[in-house]
Amino acid sequence: MQPLVKMTDIRVEFSGRLILDSICLELEKGQITTLIGPNGAGKSTLIKVLLGLQTKYTGQIEKQKRLRIGYVPQKLHLNETFPLNVERFLQLAGKFSHQERVDSLRLVGAEYLLKSNMHKLSGGENQRVLLARALLQRPDLLVLDEPAQGVDVQGQIDLYNLIESIRKRFGCAILMVSHDLHLVMAKTDQVICIHHHVCCSGAPEAITKHPSYIALFGEHKGESLAFYRHHHHGHHDLAGNPVEGEAETCENQKHGHCHHD
């Protein structure tokens, strides 16, 4: 199966500072991929390159024709003095009918928020509305930049359950950006850890034991992740080949080569 998106040797430099160095990744239909890394690692820049918001880069991006992408940004900046309810906010997304807007809210369990003030939503409610907005166009790829930021722990668990249900319902690919794996572990198929280059990638259980991950985030005790652990068969590497839960190290990424064996 052809990937929905294939990024090869993506390199971004700002004022002589290397932000992304030879990044390679593939996003496949029906898979959840989580992009992790410390602050300043280049995660949001990579997302902007994928979305076409960052045009100054080198490398190649191949997308399937007529690919529909839904995007949930890390933060939403609204003018506090401008009155805006949820329905009006969704109207700004494009020419969708009232019923389509209601249906989209229903999909994320937020139909009751239709007439609510956008400025008074909780963190979890805000994320559900943003998800509803992204789902209006029935995306093939859903991109979520730190979707759980500003959401309490129970809200995060509910949000990740919702994201998984969206993947199952629509069969779309999902790319999430996160700081670590504590809550996303049970809901992701593939993890890519970057710190300007790809440090390691693979199944989440293997990533937490990988030296590059430990060097960036520290070693986690097994119990801290066990609650969210699940058994998911059929993990694949970035080339689409089956793997047995082993994390791969992209050493050649540092030297301008993509290695996915």
Side-chain angles (χ1 to χ4, degrees):
M1 182 184 296
Q2 286 288 100
L4 296 178
V5 176
K6 181 177 181 179
M7 304 178 78
T8 307
D9 288 330
I10 301 299
R11 180 184 173 96
V12 175
E13 189 174 335
F14 295 147
S15 302
R17 180 167 170 255
L18 197 58
I19 307 300
L20 297 175
D21 184 13
S22 302
I23 299 287
C24 301
L25 66 84
E26 293 185 4
L27 303 175
E28 297 183 5
K29 182 179 174 62
Q31 282 203 339
I32 297 179
T33 299
T34 300
L35 189 66
I36 66 170
N39 287 333
K43 303 186 298 296
S44 290
T45 299
L46 184 60
I47 293 298
K48 289 176 182 177
V49 171
L50 171 61
L51 296 173
L53 302 175
Q54 170 61 43
T55 58
K56 293 184 178 180
Y57 68 89
T58 59
Q60 287 187 314
I61 303 178
E62 300 172 52
K63 299 177 183 177
Q64 283 193 4
K65 292 181 178 179
R66 294 181 291 279
L67 181 71
R68 297 187 302 272
I69 300 178
Y71 174 49
V72 176
Q74 186 177 122
K75 293 180 181 178
L76 181 65
H77 301 284
L78 296 174
N79 187 331
E80 294 290 339
T81 63
F82 183 69
L84 186 68
N85 67 15
V86 170
E87 183 171 26
R88 176 58 182 154
F89 175 72
L90 294 180
Q91 285 175 348
L92 299 174
K95 294 182 179 181
F96 299 97
S97 70
H98 171 77
Q99 191 59 50
E100 285 175 316
R101 292 191 290 272
V102 171
D103 289 344
S104 192
L105 284 171
R106 186 179 294 122
L107 281 171
V108 300
E111 184 183 0
Y112 68 97
L113 293 173
L114 185 66
K115 299 298 182 180
S116 298
N117 187 336
M118 283 293 298
H119 304 297
K120 295 183 179 180
L121 300 181
S122 69
E125 289 172 338
N126 188 69
Q127 289 305 95
R128 284 175 184 265
V129 170
L130 289 176
L131 263 175
R133 185 178 187 272
L135 291 174
L136 276 170
Q137 62 174 318
R138 298 297 186 264
D140 304 301
L141 168 62
L142 186 59
V143 179
L144 311 168
D145 193 355
E146 298 280 8
Q149 185 169 320
V151 181
D152 62 31
V153 173
Q154 184 57 52
Q156 290 180 43
I157 294 171
D158 293 341
L159 186 62
Y160 289 126
N161 284 334
L162 174 59
I163 290 167
E164 184 182 38
S165 71
I166 289 170
R167 181 265 296 266
K168 288 179 178 177
R169 179 170 184 138
F170 297 106
C172 59
I174 294 176
L175 176 62
M176 288 194 292
V177 175
S178 180
H179 273 90
D180 60 42
L181 295 180
H182 280 284
L183 294 175
V184 300
M185 182 173 180
K187 306 301 180 185
T188 191
D189 302 303
Q190 182 75 234
V191 178
I192 302 174
C193 180
I194 72 168
H195 193 204
H196 307 299
H197 63 273
V198 174
C199 302
C200 53
S201 63
E205 295 89 343
I207 288 294
T208 57
K209 302 170 187 175
H210 194 280
S212 295
Y213 176 89
I214 294 171
L216 290 173
F217 295 101
E219 193 163 7
H220 296 301
K221 295 183 181 298
E223 295 81 3
S224 66
L225 290 171
F227 181 77
Y228 304 105
R229 186 180 300 274
H230 78 316
H231 298 287
H232 179 83
H233 300 289
H235 287 296
H236 295 78
D237 65 16
L238 296 182
N241 302 311
V243 295
E244 298 297 328
E246 292 297 321
E248 66 172 298
T249 301
C250 250
E251 288 297 332
N252 286 344
Q253 294 266 3
K254 302 175 185 177
H255 306 292
H257 302 288
C258 298
H259 178 68
H260 300 302
D261 295 329

